[in-house]
Amino acid sequence: MEARDELIRILTLYRDATNTPITIVFDGAGKTHDTAFPSTPDLEILYSREGKTADQVIERVAVRMREFGEVLAVTDDYAERDTVFFNGGLASSCSNFIAAVEQALGEQERDIAKHNRRQKAAFKAPS
């Protein structure tokens, strides 16, 4: 559960940095779904039901979300990526997506530091 919450926390930061809505899908049959992070319209958290896999939910979400824009599925399962791509979505390996997240968060951190320096300089400047 701690790893799941950490993933949600990082993807929340990524969503904030990119203004991109995100849907996270977990295998959920028979598992506890307690998390410190509630699902929101901008960061939806889904769990597969009994008899369904996360992959099946991802495929369904990818098809349903097409009309709202590009859909990117992040998985290292080649068959799953092919299925999403065949249904009009995009797919990324986990390592490529992690690199994209790290880059976006790094850029956001630099932008915030730059903004803070400008604000500090403006505050100290004589009027």
Side-chain angles (χ1 to χ4, degrees), residues 79-99:
E80 187 62 18
R81 291 193 329 220
D82 288 345
T83 300
V84 169
F85 185 72
F86 177 77
N87 285 299
L90 303 171
S92 172
S93 68
C94 294
S95 61
N96 284 343
F97 185 70
I98 289 168

Side-chain angles (χ1 to χ4, degrees), residues 20-102:
T20 301
I22 295 175
T23 300
I24 305 170
V25 180
F26 295 107
D27 280 315
K31 298 179 183 170
T32 303
H33 306 308
D34 294 335
T35 180
F37 302 92
S39 192
T40 69
D42 289 332
L43 189 107
E44 184 176 28
I45 303 167
L46 302 176
Y47 299 89
S48 62
R49 291 191 174 133
E50 187 73 39
K52 299 283 183 187
T53 65
D55 288 348
Q56 291 170 312
V57 176
I58 291 168
E59 292 164 11
R60 189 172 179 188
V61 168
V63 169
R64 288 186 170 190
M65 300 305 271
R66 277 190 312 212
E67 67 184 84
F68 300 105
E70 288 183 338
V71 173
L72 173 68
V74 178
T75 179
D76 283 334
D77 182 322
Y78 290 108
E80 187 62 18
R81 291 193 329 220
D82 288 345
T83 300
V84 169
F85 185 72
F86 177 77
N87 285 299
L90 303 171
S92 172
S93 68
C94 294
S95 61
N96 284 343
F97 185 70
I98 289 168
V101 168
E102 288 173 346

